[in-house]
Amino acid sequence: MADPYEWLRDKESQEVLEHLHAENRYTDAVTADQEPLREAIFSEIKHRTVETDLTVPSRRGGFWYFTRTIEGEQHPIYCRVPVSAPESEAPESRSLDAWTPPEVQPGEPLDGEVTYFDTNAEAKPHAFYQLGGMSIDESGRLLAYCEDTTGDERHTLRFRDLTTGENLPETVEDVHGAAVLDPTGSRAYYMVADESWRPWRLYVHTLGTDASEDRLLLEITDEQLWSGFGVSSDKRELIILSGNSEYDESRLLDLTDPDAEPVLLISADRRLLHSVDPIELDGERKLLVTHNAGGPNNALSLTTAEALAAQRSEDPLDLGTTVLPHEDTVKLEGVTVTAAQVLVSARRDTVESVQLLSLDALRNVRDGGAAVPTSSLPGPGFEEELFTCAVTSAEHEAPVFRVLYTSWFTPPRIYDIPHAAPSDDGGDAAAPTPILRRETPVHDVDLSAYRATRIWAPGDGTAPDGSPVQVPVTVMHHRDVAPDGTNPTLVYGYGSYEMSMDPSFGIPRLSLLDRGIVFAIAHVRGGGELGRWWYEDGKKLTKTHTFTDFLSATDQLVEAGWADPARIAALGGSAGGLLMGAIANMAPEKYTAIVAQVPFVDNLTSILDPDLPLSALEWEEWGNPIQDAEVYAYMKSYSPYENVRDTRYPAIAAVTSLHDTRVLYVEPAKWVQRLREHQQGEAPVVLKIEMDGGHGGASGRYESWKERAWDYAFLAHHLGAAERRF
């Protein structure tokens, strides 16, 4: 059957652009009475945020690097100051004192401080501006940065001499993401995307030459593989990973050799989900491989790059010695290598934190000792039950590593954690005490006034699909809000790509809680909160579990007294926008309002066309409807656009951006037309489109706050909770 709204796909058409502008005017008119509420929420966000602020300096080589934000400015500025004693003149450079960052105060420059990149100045000529990434060589002389000035994520790579502050004349166009300099600053490595916006070619640019002379190092023709790269902890090798949600292909490239070619370690034909991390152990170059060969929650093995590269494809894959075995209750997320120990990122009972694997323990396993369960490893201790702790930096030779710690009502804290020293008897010492460097300040708020708790849905332990599954649901509320069945409630969900909705602090959320709204997060299947199986039970031919889990969580909030059944709203973005579209069709009566941000609501049409951005890559997430009739029928059964029906839909706002390359604007643009066609109630259906933004919306922090205020005002208005209660 012909699609009557497919004409909206041509964004070069003047008729389409006029239509989109008309949609914005209509949205402005329909929501005009929400403008005071939007202004109030924006003002609350702005008032509580310390606008003139800074980050904790991080040491690299002979400099401390940090950023400042200035009141009234949209973007951060990047600063640095020399360390008091250069590395070459400081034998004690591995001491803790040498890695204690300088005290920086908002608005007060340090002696010797230099602004080496003012994002506000760079962004001024453009309606949209976003950095794709930065890389600085080991000497601190050369900066490589990628900038996007349209929102389509096609970056221009530029180079700046930090000794003069001047840009070099050479540039590279249409770069995908970030570039990486080799340690000497003589070469830059970058990727470009194909027509479907899949990064597939790796190039090396030699400084001082024209981009037309750049050497192609690698081309990944498999349309189901997304490629990316990073640098080993000791900066000797480029780690190249091409993969999807089910398997990867890994390579190493020697950064010390300008003529080196990538060396294949584990091919995609092995169908192994894995990552690799080089490590120097007693003078021998080894390789740590995190992989799912022994089970879905991953294990860690020790081998060498040479051993992997030498294996024949027809022989069983030998990953070497198991260091950390698979555990059913712990998901091994990955490792970070330092000269002193290995930092292990692991998730247990939904909480992700850091465990410490000593080099002595690694040696013991290498020499024939037993593997070490991840659950037995020590780690920094924190008091809260629900938190997030993630490594943010770990310079290879430093005596400390840095983590970011946060929870639902703990603003981000930066801790430096000293590496554990061996005890007198040769064993590992107790986990070291974290050193608090900074907690993000928040203006004029008593954070003890808020609560976060967890409930499980459904209460009887049997999911709507009949499986013995309970969904964790985070419930956030003001302390004076009780579970008495009278509360307006917002339920947020995502549930795809094994992404976990981990505890994190958010100032905008407080504006809803202060209006008596309960903010709930449904950690539905398709995410990664409860391990790999939680993800696998919410993808492909089990995708509808994501939707029924969300509905189950909604019902449990009512049953537990947290939600008034007549005042519940829902929020989700991207793949979470698909979730919003699905639950709108499945149970529109449960919700008063829905906001779908950059929603993936015409997913069947998109995935049927491999020439559209990212479509072929999505087959490992959703299935391939082109080749599999069962997948086609299953996707058609839940596709939001395909299943719009005559019913009373709640108030719905679809929020998108014209230049989004991940979820094309046309999906929500078509969806709202079909919703209006079938709407049997009086609730409005609106499209709000950012004409100068990308997948993340407009650029700049103030614009981001305004977008959040718009979404929250729409929801609070329809929940009847516009006035502050606390």
Side-chain angles (χ1 to χ4, degrees):
M1 184 178 71
D3 185 341
Y5 304 117
E6 183 63 16
W7 64 275
L8 289 167
R9 189 173 299 277
D10 183 10
K11 77 173 185 179
E12 303 301 322
S13 161
Q14 190 60 36
E15 182 182 8
V16 170
L17 292 176
E18 289 174 359
H19 171 85
L20 297 177
H21 283 294
E23 285 282 11
N24 275 340
R25 291 193 296 271
Y26 174 72
T27 297
D28 289 344
V30 168
T31 66
D33 58 341
Q34 298 167 31
E35 179 62 23
L37 180 54
R38 289 196 289 266
E39 287 296 326
I41 293 176
F42 173 78
S43 295
E44 291 162 16
I45 297 171
K46 188 172 183 290
H47 173 70
R48 285 170 166 161
T49 302
V50 177
E51 296 181 68
T52 298
D53 203 10
L54 47 89
T55 60
V56 179
S58 296
R59 181 173 174 176
R60 279 197 59 204
F63 294 91
W64 292 100
Y65 292 87
F66 57 101
T67 64
R68 292 184 183 270
T69 52
I70 309 299
E71 182 175 356
E73 298 286 4
Q74 295 272 17
H75 303 277
I77 61 174
Y78 293 81
C79 309
R80 71 179 185 178
V81 64
V83 297
S84 56
E87 183 82 13
S88 60
E89 300 174 14
E92 73 285 1
S93 61
R94 292 195 188 185
S95 71
L96 191 57
D97 287 345
W99 288 81
T100 299
E103 293 283 344
V104 186
Q105 298 299 325
E108 298 179 14
L110 295 172
D111 289 342
E113 179 179 331
V114 172
T115 294
Y116 65 90
F117 195 90
D118 184 345
T119 318
N120 298 292
E122 303 291 338
K124 192 173 183 179
H126 310 285
F128 179 95
Y129 190 89
Q130 193 165 64
L131 283 171
M134 287 181 165
S135 179
I136 298 176
D137 71 351
E138 285 302 288
S139 72
R141 180 192 62 83
L142 185 68
L143 166 71
Y145 66 97
C146 294
E147 60 180 12
D148 171 16
T149 58
T150 64
D152 64 2
E153 299 182 56
R154 297 184 183 275
H155 298 88
T156 298
L157 170 59
R158 302 185 189 277
F159 303 93
R160 180 166 297 179
D161 185 337
L162 296 184
T163 63
T164 66
E166 299 295 325
N167 275 12
L168 304 184
E170 59 204 89
T171 61
V172 183
E173 300 295 333
D174 288 332
V175 171
H176 187 282
V180 167
L181 290 169
D182 82 300
T184 69
S186 58
R187 299 180 302 280
Y189 299 84
Y190 65 92
M191 297 206 74
V192 300
D194 62 12
E195 292 182 356
S196 67
W197 200 229
R198 177 182 67 91
W200 73 309
R201 283 178 172 168
L202 174 67
Y203 286 89
V204 58
H205 172 78
T206 300
L207 273 293
T209 67
D210 190 85
S212 63
E213 302 174 21
D214 291 356
R215 180 162 62 100
L216 176 64
L217 294 172
L218 180 66
E219 181 176 280
I220 303 296
T221 57
D222 186 338
E223 60 188 4
Q224 296 185 65
L225 296 181
W226 176 284
S227 297
F229 59 87
V231 179
S232 63
S233 65
D234 58 7
K235 301 178 177 59
R236 286 173 50 183
E237 289 167 297
L238 199 69
I239 304 168
I240 309 160
L241 209 63
S242 305
N244 52 47
S245 64
E246 297 194 343
Y247 56 89
D248 298 297
E249 186 166 87
S250 54
R251 292 174 171 83
L252 290 180
L253 183 138
D254 185 355
L255 287 176
T256 67
D257 180 1
D259 299 318
E261 299 288 339
V263 175
L264 178 66
L265 301 178
I266 300 174
S267 73
D269 295 337
R270 298 289 192 173
R271 291 302 189 262
L272 186 74
L273 198 64
H274 71 281
S275 60
V276 297
D277 291 274
I279 183 171
E280 192 83 13
L281 191 62
D282 299 332
E284 185 179 5
R285 197 70 171 171
K286 294 282 191 177
L287 200 64
L288 289 169
V289 185
T290 305
H291 61 85
N292 68 343
N297 279 345
N298 292 337
L300 183 71
S301 294
L302 181 68
T303 184
T304 65
E306 292 76 14
L308 289 178
Q311 294 183 49
R312 300 186 306 170
S313 59
E314 59 268 26
D315 294 334
L317 181 62
D318 182 1
L319 293 170
T321 303
T322 299
V323 178
L324 303 177
H326 175 270
E327 294 182 74
D328 291 335
T329 59
V330 179
K331 171 67 186 304
L332 178 59
E333 302 284 8
V335 300
T336 301
V337 172
T338 75
Q341 63 186 341
V342 178
L343 314 177
V344 179
S345 175
R347 183 183 300 276
R348 179 163 44 178
D349 296 331
T350 77
V351 174
E352 181 176 355
S353 192
V354 181
Q355 273 71 51
L356 311 178
L357 174 66
S358 70
L359 296 188
D360 281 342
L362 192 58
R363 292 184 183 100
N364 183 60
V365 176
R366 177 200 62 186
D367 297 337
V372 183
T374 303
S375 57
S376 71
L377 296 176
F382 298 104
E383 294 180 357
E384 293 183 274
E385 178 185 3
L386 302 177
F387 64 87
T388 299
C389 178
V391 176
T392 59
S393 65
E395 286 295 302
H396 190 256
E397 299 292 338
V400 297
F401 64 95
R402 181 165 290 178
V403 300
L404 182 145
Y405 175 93
T406 186
S407 72
W408 298 118
F409 297 116
T410 301
R413 294 174 178 170
I414 298 297
Y415 288 98
D416 279 346
I417 303 178
H419 289 306
S423 62
D424 293 338
D425 60 6
D428 282 343
T433 302
I435 303 169
L436 178 62
R437 298 301 190 193
R438 190 169 191 269
E439 177 173 304
T440 302
V442 183
H443 276 157
D444 195 24
V445 62
D446 176 11
L447 294 177
S448 68
Y450 307 98
R451 302 286 184 268
T453 189
R454 173 171 289 169
I455 64 173
W456 296 82
D460 63 7
T462 301
D465 61 281
S467 57
V469 167
Q470 283 188 302
V471 178
V473 183
T474 297
V475 180
M476 287 172 275
H477 61 95
H478 192 277
R479 66 186 169 199
D480 293 333
V481 168
D484 57 9
T486 66
N487 305 310
T489 298
L490 172 60
V491 191
Y492 175 85
Y494 186 77
S496 292
Y497 304 106
E498 203 178 355
M499 291 182 63
S500 299
M501 301 297 103
D502 290 327
S504 62
F505 179 74
I507 287 177
R509 189 189 303 131
L510 302 179
S511 291
L512 295 182
L513 303 184
D514 286 346
R515 287 166 171 79
I517 296 172
V518 172
F519 194 114
I521 299 177
H523 303 277
V524 294
R525 279 176 284 182
E529 285 90 342
L530 294 177
R532 180 73 180 183
W533 77 274
W534 194 249
Y535 165 57
E536 292 179 341
D537 205 27
K539 64 180 291 193
K540 289 190 174 178
L541 294 177
T542 58
K543 185 61 204 172
T544 56
H545 290 170
T546 300
F547 317 140
T548 55
D549 281 357
F550 191 87
L551 297 176
S552 176
T554 301
D555 291 341
Q556 190 62 37
L557 287 162
V558 173
E559 184 176 329
W562 285 113
D564 176 352
R567 291 201 294 166
I568 302 176
L571 171 66
S574 197
L578 182 149
L579 169 60
M580 295 299 101
I583 59 110
N585 290 331
M586 295 168 69
E589 72 282 356
K590 292 184 186 294
Y591 303 97
T592 299
I594 293 174
V595 169
Q597 301 160 322
V598 290
F600 187 39
V601 283
D602 191 19
N603 53 307
L604 182 59
T605 300
S606 293
I607 295 177
L608 281 170
D609 186 351
D611 293 329
L612 289 178
L614 311 183
S615 287
L617 287 163
E618 298 292 339
W619 293 338
E620 297 304 328
E621 181 73 19
W622 314 94
N624 186 346
I626 299 174
Q627 299 179 353
D628 191 322
E630 184 181 12
V631 169
Y632 178 92
Y634 187 71
M635 290 187 67
K636 190 175 181 66
S637 74
Y638 68 74
S639 169
Y641 184 67
E642 299 280 344
N643 288 279
V644 174
R645 58 191 173 91
D646 289 340
T647 190
R648 294 178 65 88
Y649 281 100
I652 294 177
V655 181
T656 190
S657 297
L658 181 63
H659 299 298
D660 192 341
T661 56
R662 298 171 187 260
V663 178
L664 299 184
Y665 76 91
V666 68
E667 296 198 28
K670 291 168 53 178
W671 181 51
V672 298
Q673 307 306 315
R674 182 158 286 181
L675 284 168
R676 290 175 188 151
E677 178 186 342
H678 292 274
Q679 172 66 293
Q680 302 298 296
E682 301 300 319
V685 176
V686 299
L687 175 71
K688 177 178 178 288
I689 181 165
E690 171 59 55
M691 301 301 285
D692 293 308
H695 192 63
S699 64
R701 57 176 176 163
Y702 293 104
E703 296 307 313
S704 174
W705 297 345
K706 289 177 182 177
E707 290 182 346
R708 187 68 59 87
W710 195 98
D711 296 346
Y712 282 3
F714 183 89
L715 295 164
H717 169 83
H718 288 285
L719 286 172
E723 300 299 324
R724 284 190 64 165
R725 289 178 51 193
F726 311 108

